[in-house]
């Protein structure tokens, strides 16, 4: 990825944050609404074990608006390697994910069910819709989670569907300055013909409003990589 494409993604990132922040400022004054955001950089944008930034650094940012009832909406943007090049010779250099859903407790379990629209501005025929669901439970110092994300047949998937399932664990202690994470996922369908397994292990250290991360991410169809991240949360 060239410096130009990274800066292009940064400009879109700034526009997204400004637009969402402006549109939700009034809600933030209501005790029933909360607004949270983050912005930072990763040394390699790895998604389900594969690099979407051409193994180069990527700028990322997101904003989430949540109601006390559990309903929420969020937007996330990342710079990426050019994708979805069309007949005009241009492709997307940014990935936008817009999500709406509900997260809360049900029968002693944490449940998060949503619908996501993943868009690639300037990309040709690559936008798609996906339905993620995650169920989690905290046991002692560990948070255990399982989930699935299903994308039904649509144009961007070549009229095939795609499924991704994962299990994960987050572990931390009150006297630890960091939290450990591990996750294994399995994907089958349009984005992983023949199937693909990926895994990630890492640690995250909060330093005030900044979070520092380091993880190893890998898959059985590509080389793994160490990914470092720095994010400011607000």
């Amino acid at each position: 990825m060239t410096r130009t494409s990274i800066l292009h993604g940064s400009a879109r990132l700034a526009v997204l944050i400004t637009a969402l922040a402006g549109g939700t400022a009034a809600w933030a004054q209501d005790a029933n609404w909360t607004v949270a955001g983050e912005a930072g950089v990763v040394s390699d944008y790895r998604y389900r074990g594969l690099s979407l930034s051409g193994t180069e650094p990527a700028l990322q940012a997101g904003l989430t608006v949540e109601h006390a009832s559990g309903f929420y909406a969020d937007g996330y943007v990342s710079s990426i390697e050019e994708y979805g090049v069309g007949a005009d010779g241009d492709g997307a250099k940014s990935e936008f994910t817009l999500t709406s859903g509900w997260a809360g407790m049900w029968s002693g379990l944490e449940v998060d069910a949503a619908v996501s629209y993943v868009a690639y501005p300037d990309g040709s025929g690559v936008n798609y819709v996906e339905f993620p669901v995650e169920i989690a439970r905290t046991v002692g110092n560990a948070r255990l989670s399982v989930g699935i994300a299903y994308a039904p047949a649509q144009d961007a998937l070549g009229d095939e569907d795609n499924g991704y399932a994962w299990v994960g664990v987050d572990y931390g202690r009150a006297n630890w300055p960091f939290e450990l994470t591990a996750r294994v996922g399995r994907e089958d369908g349009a984005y992983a013909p023949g199937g693909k397994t990926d895994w990630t292990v890492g640690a995250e250290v909060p330093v005030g409003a900044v979070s520092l991360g380091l993880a190893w991410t890998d898959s059985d169809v590509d080389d793994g990589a160490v990914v470092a991240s720095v994010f400011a949360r607000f």
Side-chain angles (χ1 to χ4, degrees), residues 139-144 169-173 176 178-182 202:
V139 180
N141 295 305
R143 180 181 183 272
L144 311 176
V169 59
D170 302 297
Y171 185 86
R173 302 179 69 91
W176 285 9
F178 58 86
E179 182 178 72
L180 301 176
T181 63

Side-chain angles (χ1 to χ4, degrees), residues 10 18 31 48 61 64 86 95 98 116 125 137 143 146 151 185 226-227:
S10 179
T18 301
R48 298 177 183 174
T64 300
E95 175 191 78
L98 305 176
S116 294
R137 183 169 185 175
R143 180 181 183 272
V146 297
V226 174
V227 177

